Amino acid sequence: MEPLLVVLKGLPLTLIVTVGAFSIGAVLGLPLSLGLRSKVLPLRLLCRLVVDLLRGIPMIVWLFVLKFGLTSPSLRLTSLEAALLGLGLISAGYLAEIYRGGLQAVPRGQYEAAQALGLSGGISFIRVVAPQAVRVVSPTIATYLIGLLKNSSIASTIIVGEMVFQAQAYARQNPSIAGVLPYAIAGLVYIIISVPIAMLSRSLDERLRKVVV
């Protein structure tokens, strides 16, 4: 019972890091995805460079740079802030590509039909293009969210007290009795959280398929 309670102490921070980083990525990924589809070549190339940098540099490098590389007192981040910002920026890169793929999957005729109806660019995007793109990318976004939940454990390397950090601390303090038990418990909690997300994603996908033809 004690290892379970210790691991669960880190559950709130695991959820905070996951939800916070995903929210940052979901917001920042949208303008990046639009930039990747821009007809303005310099803007498109700049967004491509940003996305490739965010995705190409390992997560742990981003976290260490943000936590230990910023030496100015005015820019110094706490461990939690560095984890949220680092994983959030990485999420922005991946979600931008997911969004771009969804927008690209919408048939060109849908854009032309919206223009023929006299809809403005913003209205056609919100009412015509976005709903179809959401249906396409919703399973992929859910898969990424589950992956981000597991990747939040990397925050333990910069001393964020999430579940893996708590499991490691307990194992170090109780080497004779702990073994792999705390890690197995943490893994089980990850599975328990991930399964409802996957089920919700499938349910949402089925509903969107009925709504969006």
Side-chain angles (χ1 to χ4, degrees):
M1 179 62 75
E2 184 181 10
L4 173 62
L5 295 178
V6 170
V7 170
L8 289 179
K9 281 175 56 180
L11 179 58
L13 276 178
T14 293
L15 296 177
I16 288 172
V17 170
T18 302
V19 175
F22 182 81
S23 300
I24 292 172
V27 173
L28 296 182
L30 183 56
L32 280 175
S33 68
L34 295 177
L36 290 173
R37 291 173 52 83
S38 174
K39 296 179 180 179
V40 181
L41 181 59
L43 177 59
R44 188 168 70 248
L45 292 177
L46 176 61
C47 289
R48 170 52 58 196
L49 176 62
V50 170
V51 168
D52 288 346
L53 283 175
L54 292 175
R55 296 175 55 186
I57 298 176
M59 291 183 180
I60 194 169
V61 174
W62 277 115
L63 297 189
F64 271 71
V65 167
L66 291 172
K67 174 56 182 169
F68 305 113
L70 301 179
T71 56
S72 173
S74 60
L75 294 176
R76 191 165 296 165
L77 302 176
T78 66
S79 295
L80 179 58
E81 290 170 345
L84 286 170
L85 181 58
L87 294 178
L89 290 174
I90 294 168
S91 297
Y94 280 96
L95 290 174
E97 282 289 7
I98 294 173
Y99 293 162
R100 183 193 61 79
L103 293 172
Q104 191 169 317
V106 177
R108 185 63 189 173
Q110 297 295 316
Y111 293 88
E112 295 171 352
Q115 291 177 349
L117 292 172
L119 299 178
S120 65
I123 296 298
S124 63
F125 179 81
I126 294 172
R127 300 292 298 273
V128 178
V129 177
Q132 297 181 67
V134 168
R135 183 186 65 78
V136 173
V137 303
S138 60
T140 309
I141 289 177
T143 300
Y144 179 79
L145 177 58
I146 293 172
L148 181 61
L149 171 66
K150 293 180 288 185
N151 287 334
S152 66
S153 61
I154 296 177
S156 64
T157 60
I158 57 171
I159 322 177
V160 175
E162 46 73 66
M163 291 194 295
V164 171
F165 180 88
Q166 299 293 346
Q168 289 174 334
Y170 184 82
R172 285 195 299 267
Q173 294 169 6
N174 303 275
S176 60
I177 61 174
V180 299
L181 180 59
Y183 301 102
I185 292 173
L188 181 60
V189 175
Y190 281 120
I191 293 173
I192 291 173
I193 299 173
S194 299
V195 169
I197 296 175
M199 294 176 62
L200 180 61
S201 171
R202 287 193 292 270
S203 175
L204 177 62
D205 184 51
E206 291 175 0
R207 292 184 181 182
L208 288 174
R209 288 181 183 276
K210 295 177 181 178
V211 173
V212 181
V213 180

